[in-house]
PDB file of all heavy atoms in Angstrom:
ATOM      1  N   GLU A 355     -78.516  -8.911  -6.281  1.00 96.00           N
ATOM      2  CA  GLU A 355     -78.520  -9.053  -7.734  1.00 96.00           C
ATOM      3  C   GLU A 355     -79.927  -9.299  -8.255  1.00 96.00           C
ATOM      4  O   GLU A 355     -80.739  -9.965  -7.606  1.00 96.00           O
ATOM      5  CB  GLU A 355     -77.603 -10.202  -8.167  1.00 96.00           C
ATOM      6  CG  GLU A 355     -76.129  -9.932  -7.925  1.00 96.00           C
ATOM      7  CD  GLU A 355     -75.236 -11.046  -8.451  1.00 96.00           C
ATOM      8  OE1 GLU A 355     -75.778 -12.143  -8.732  1.00 96.00           O
ATOM      9  OE2 GLU A 355     -74.027 -10.815  -8.592  1.00 96.00           O
ATOM     10  N   TYR A 356     -80.189  -8.756  -9.428  1.00 95.00           N
ATOM     11  CA  TYR A 356     -81.463  -8.958 -10.119  1.00 95.00           C
ATOM     12  C   TYR A 356     -81.176  -9.326 -11.572  1.00 95.00           C
ATOM     13  O   TYR A 356     -80.404  -8.639 -12.251  1.00 95.00           O
ATOM     14  CB  TYR A 356     -82.316  -7.686 -10.041  1.00 95.00           C
ATOM     15  CG  TYR A 356     -83.442  -7.665 -11.036  1.00 95.00           C
ATOM     16  CD1 TYR A 356     -84.477  -8.595 -10.969  1.00 95.00           C
ATOM     17  CD2 TYR A 356     -83.473  -6.713 -12.063  1.00 95.00           C
ATOM     18  CE1 TYR A 356     -85.504  -8.578 -11.897  1.00 95.00           C
ATOM     19  CE2 TYR A 356     -84.505  -6.690 -12.992  1.00 95.00           C
ATOM     20  CZ  TYR A 356     -85.522  -7.627 -12.905  1.00 95.00           C
ATOM     21  OH  TYR A 356     -86.533  -7.624 -13.824  1.00 95.00           O
ATOM     22  N   GLU A 357     -81.770 -10.418 -12.038  1.00 94.00           N
ATOM     23  CA  GLU A 357     -81.603 -10.848 -13.422  1.00 94.00           C
ATOM     24  C   GLU A 357     -82.667 -10.169 -14.282  1.00 94.00           C
ATOM     25  O   GLU A 357     -83.850 -10.474 -14.185  1.00 94.00           O
ATOM     26  CB  GLU A 357     -81.698 -12.374 -13.528  1.00 94.00           C
ATOM     27  CG  GLU A 357     -80.565 -13.126 -12.858  1.00 94.00           C
ATOM     28  CD  GLU A 357     -79.208 -12.799 -13.465  1.00 94.00           C
ATOM     29  OE1 GLU A 357     -79.150 -12.551 -14.693  1.00 94.00           O
ATOM     30  OE2 GLU A 357     -78.212 -12.790 -12.709  1.00 94.00           O
ATOM     31  N   HIS A 358     -82.219  -9.246 -15.132  1.00 92.00           N
ATOM     32  CA  HIS A 358     -83.138  -8.472 -15.966  1.00 92.00           C
ATOM     33  C   HIS A 358     -83.253  -9.099 -17.349  1.00 92.00           C
ATOM     34  O   HIS A 358     -82.250  -9.511 -17.942  1.00 92.00           O
ATOM     35  CB  HIS A 358     -82.614  -7.038 -16.074  1.00 92.00           C
ATOM     36  CG  HIS A 358     -83.518  -6.106 -16.806  1.00 92.00           C
ATOM     37  ND1 HIS A 358     -84.869  -6.062 -16.580  1.00 92.00           N
ATOM     38  CD2 HIS A 358     -83.257  -5.171 -17.777  1.00 92.00           C
ATOM     39  CE1 HIS A 358     -85.418  -5.154 -17.352  1.00 92.00           C
ATOM     40  NE2 HIS A 358     -84.456  -4.590 -18.090  1.00 92.00           N
ATOM     41  N   THR A 359     -84.461  -9.176 -17.849  1.00 90.00           N
ATOM     42  CA  THR A 359     -84.689  -9.779 -19.171  1.00 90.00           C
ATOM     43  C   THR A 359     -84.554  -8.765 -20.293  1.00 90.00           C
ATOM     44  O   THR A 359     -84.692  -9.111 -21.474  1.00 90.00           O
ATOM     45  CB  THR A 359     -86.086 -10.414 -19.225  1.00 90.00           C
ATOM     46  OG1 THR A 359     -87.073  -9.424 -18.901  1.00 90.00           O
ATOM     47  CG2 THR A 359     -86.186 -11.569 -18.239  1.00 90.00           C
ATOM     48  N   GLY A 360     -84.292  -7.512 -19.946  1.00 89.00           N
ATOM     49  CA  GLY A 360     -84.118  -6.478 -20.956  1.00 89.00           C
ATOM     50  C   GLY A 360     -85.322  -5.567 -21.038  1.00 89.00           C
ATOM     51  O   GLY A 360     -86.460  -5.976 -20.798  1.00 89.00           O
ATOM     52  N   GLY A 361     -85.084  -4.297 -21.384  1.00 90.00           N
ATOM     53  CA  GLY A 361     -86.178  -3.342 -21.537  1.00 90.00           C
ATOM     54  C   GLY A 361     -86.163  -2.283 -20.454  1.00 90.00           C
ATOM     55  O   GLY A 361     -85.193  -2.102 -19.719  1.00 90.00           O
ATOM     56  N   LYS A 362     -87.300  -1.585 -20.384  1.00 91.00           N
ATOM     57  CA  LYS A 362     -87.400  -0.455 -19.467  1.00 91.00           C
ATOM     58  C   LYS A 362     -87.428  -0.924 -18.021  1.00 91.00           C
ATOM     59  O   LYS A 362     -88.066  -1.914 -17.678  1.00 91.00           O
ATOM     60  CB  LYS A 362     -88.644   0.364 -19.773  1.00 91.00           C
ATOM     61  CG  LYS A 362     -88.761   1.662 -18.973  1.00 91.00           C
ATOM     62  CD  LYS A 362     -89.836   2.572 -19.526  1.00 91.00           C
ATOM     63  CE  LYS A 362     -89.408   3.136 -20.883  1.00 91.00           C
ATOM     64  NZ  LYS A 362     -90.367   4.168 -21.369  1.00 91.00           N
ATOM     65  N   LEU A 363     -86.748  -0.162 -17.184  1.00 90.00           N
ATOM     66  CA  LEU A 363     -86.618  -0.512 -15.765  1.00 90.00           C
ATOM     67  C   LEU A 363     -86.819   0.754 -14.948  1.00 90.00           C
ATOM     68  O   LEU A 363     -86.256   1.811 -15.232  1.00 90.00           O
ATOM     69  CB  LEU A 363     -85.220  -1.076 -15.523  1.00 90.00           C
ATOM     70  CG  LEU A 363     -84.968  -1.946 -14.293  1.00 90.00           C
ATOM     71  CD1 LEU A 363     -85.824  -3.186 -14.323  1.00 90.00           C
ATOM     72  CD2 LEU A 363     -83.495  -2.324 -14.240  1.00 90.00           C
ATOM     73  N   ARG A 364     -87.662   0.637 -13.915  1.00 93.00           N
ATOM     74  CA  ARG A 364     -87.865   1.749 -12.987  1.00 93.00           C
ATOM     75  C   ARG A 364     -87.459   1.291 -11.586  1.00 93.00           C
ATOM     76  O   ARG A 364     -87.978   0.285 -11.090  1.00 93.00           O
ATOM     77  CB  ARG A 364     -89.329   2.195 -13.000  1.00 93.00           C
ATOM     78  CG  ARG A 364     -89.737   2.886 -14.284  1.00 93.00           C
ATOM     79  CD  ARG A 364     -91.206   3.264 -14.278  1.00 93.00           C
ATOM     80  NE  ARG A 364     -92.059   2.095 -14.321  1.00 93.00           N
ATOM     81  CZ  ARG A 364     -92.387   1.427 -15.438  1.00 93.00           C
ATOM     82  NH1 ARG A 364     -91.917   1.851 -16.608  1.00 93.00           N
ATOM     83  NH2 ARG A 364     -93.166   0.385 -15.395  1.00 93.00           N
ATOM     84  N   ILE A 365     -86.560   2.030 -10.981  1.00 94.00           N
ATOM     85  CA  ILE A 365     -86.020   1.655  -9.669  1.00 94.00           C
ATOM     86  C   ILE A 365     -86.244   2.812  -8.700  1.00 94.00           C
ATOM     87  O   ILE A 365     -85.943   3.967  -9.002  1.00 94.00           O
ATOM     88  CB  ILE A 365     -84.525   1.314  -9.767  1.00 94.00           C
ATOM     89  CG1 ILE A 365     -84.297   0.154 -10.737  1.00 94.00           C
ATOM     90  CG2 ILE A 365     -83.960   0.972  -8.382  1.00 94.00           C
ATOM     91  CD1 ILE A 365     -82.853  -0.167 -10.998  1.00 94.00           C
ATOM     92  N   ARG A 366     -86.748   2.471  -7.530  1.00 94.00           N
ATOM     93  CA  ARG A 366     -86.938   3.453  -6.469  1.00 94.00           C
ATOM     94  C   ARG A 366     -86.280   2.923  -5.190  1.00 94.00           C
ATOM     95  O   ARG A 366     -86.235   1.717  -4.982  1.00 94.00           O
ATOM     96  CB  ARG A 366     -88.427   3.696  -6.208  1.00 94.00           C
ATOM     97  CG  ARG A 366     -89.181   4.295  -7.382  1.00 94.00           C
ATOM     98  CD  ARG A 366     -90.665   4.472  -7.050  1.00 94.00           C
ATOM     99  NE  ARG A 366     -91.386   5.024  -8.180  1.00 94.00           N
ATOM    100  CZ  ARG A 366     -91.520   6.326  -8.418  1.00 94.00           C
ATOM    101  NH1 ARG A 366     -90.996   7.199  -7.556  1.00 94.00           N
ATOM    102  NH2 ARG A 366     -92.174   6.765  -9.467  1.00 94.00           N
ATOM    103  N   ILE A 367     -85.794   3.830  -4.376  1.00 95.00           N
ATOM    104  CA  ILE A 367     -85.309   3.439  -3.059  1.00 95.00           C
ATOM    105  C   ILE A 367     -86.085   4.212  -1.997  1.00 95.00           C
ATOM    106  O   ILE A 367     -86.596   5.316  -2.250  1.00 95.00           O
ATOM    107  CB  ILE A 367     -83.790   3.651  -2.886  1.00 95.00           C
ATOM    108  CG1 ILE A 367     -83.448   5.131  -2.768  1.00 95.00           C
ATOM    109  CG2 ILE A 367     -83.020   2.989  -4.007  1.00 95.00           C
ATOM    110  CD1 ILE A 367     -82.013   5.365  -2.345  1.00 95.00           C
ATOM    111  N   ALA A 368     -86.210   3.613  -0.849  1.00 93.00           N
ATOM    112  CA  ALA A 368     -86.873   4.240   0.290  1.00 93.00           C
ATOM    113  C   ALA A 368     -86.049   3.971   1.531  1.00 93.00           C
ATOM    114  O   ALA A 368     -85.152   3.126   1.532  1.00 93.00           O
ATOM    115  CB  ALA A 368     -88.293   3.695   0.450  1.00 93.00           C
TER     116      ALA A 368
END
Side-chain angles (χ1 to χ4, degrees):
E355 292 184 345
Y356 163 64
E357 293 299 327
H358 185 45
T359 56
K362 187 167 290 187
L363 201 61
R364 290 178 292 278
I365 301 174
R366 297 179 181 272
I367 72 169

